[in-house]
Amino acid sequence: MKRRLSLSVFLCLAMSGVLGTMNQAQAQALYGSVVGNVKDSSEAVVAGVSITLTNLETKQSRAGTSTETGSYSFATVSPGTYEIKISKEGFTAYTRSGVTVAANDTARVDITLNVGGVSESVTVTGAAALLQTDRAEVRTDISANQLSNMPMSVGRNYQTLFVTLPGFGGVQSSYNSTPSNPSKALVFNVNGASFNINNTKIDGAQSINVWLPHESAYVPTLEAIEMVNVVSGSFDAETGLAGGAAIYVSSKSGTNQLHGAVFESHNNQHLNGRPFFLPWNQSKPKFVYNDFGGAVGGRIIKEKLFFFGSYEGTDNRESAFYLATVPTAAIKSGNMQGQ
């Protein structure tokens, strides 16, 4: 029987200045960043532009200004979907929504302003995918939508999807017992390297069994994961203790809207085939397996204080089952013809 419980409470301050100071004290691997350049229609840089970055789910915002070279940067941005608003006297107001920020990633949003009055505005709701130019690493992101909709071949484990990533091989269940691997973590090789030199971090905290470095110490339930970032080559300086792959798991957080999910998976001996060597006059051994749980998140104080928690439990009841061949009396006496 297994029980997994994770509860997290996120406190967010609405004042953008304080929020920015707090975020800068954290590791960049926990967050992403938004960068870009502001130009006019003649490709000339525009300095002194007021820029506001707003999280569409929590409505928290951060403010900044473009530099003399027309560039801007928001560091240590929490993962999520954002809206960028830009305004400057003599130019039309500009809004870009649907900007996705992932942990350990840089989102580039270059903006072109048009000459016009303040009453005019330009709104962009989507943009074509851009070539990754701000980071040299080889990376892949697995979103919460993929985790919810793609089939898992080995239980409800996000590591199952690593078989779809380039460079990953030998993704399989560990041969260790349940007491030594209670989370049922999978093992895998990346780019031919040993499976002992992968590194998994959950919300910035390293999650590796010291006695079994090839296994992750904890595997969160799928409903609690916002995104999984996998770096498998050309690591940045902030990525350490990894030779095969650096894996960053970001947990979900609460928003202004109450949201959640429940799940249950059931299996028993009646749903499974008979063991090949089981005698025909014997019934299948007892096997009852239930995996159940849920997650819920919401607000405590609107746009300031949020909560999120998840629970997963596993009940596994089965009879001991073992098939073996025993020698006959003739074989025991040395007469091998008795076989």
Side-chain angles (χ1 to χ4, degrees), residues 121-136:
S121 64
V122 175
T123 301
V124 179
T125 58
L130 300 176
L131 182 67
Q132 177 179 299
T133 59
D134 297 286
R135 303 173 73 99

Side-chain angles (χ1 to χ4, degrees), residues 2-18:
K2 178 183 65 176
R3 291 287 187 271
R4 287 190 287 186
L5 173 64
S6 60
L7 178 63
S8 50
V9 177
F10 298 86
L11 175 62
C12 305
L13 300 180
M15 295 182 296
S16 59
V18 177

Side-chain angles (χ1 to χ4, degrees), residues 39-44 46 88-93 112-122:
K39 299 180 180 181
D40 61 18
S41 56
S42 66
E43 295 296 315
V46 182
K88 183 176 175 63
E89 188 69 27
F91 294 91
T92 59
T112 300
L113 297 179
N114 298 319
V115 177
V118 294
S119 60
E120 300 177 85
S121 64
V122 175

Side-chain angles (χ1 to χ4, degrees), residues 217-229:
Y218 177 65
V219 178
T221 182
L222 295 180
E223 284 70 22
I225 300 176
E226 178 66 30
M227 181 171 290
V228 180
N229 168 249

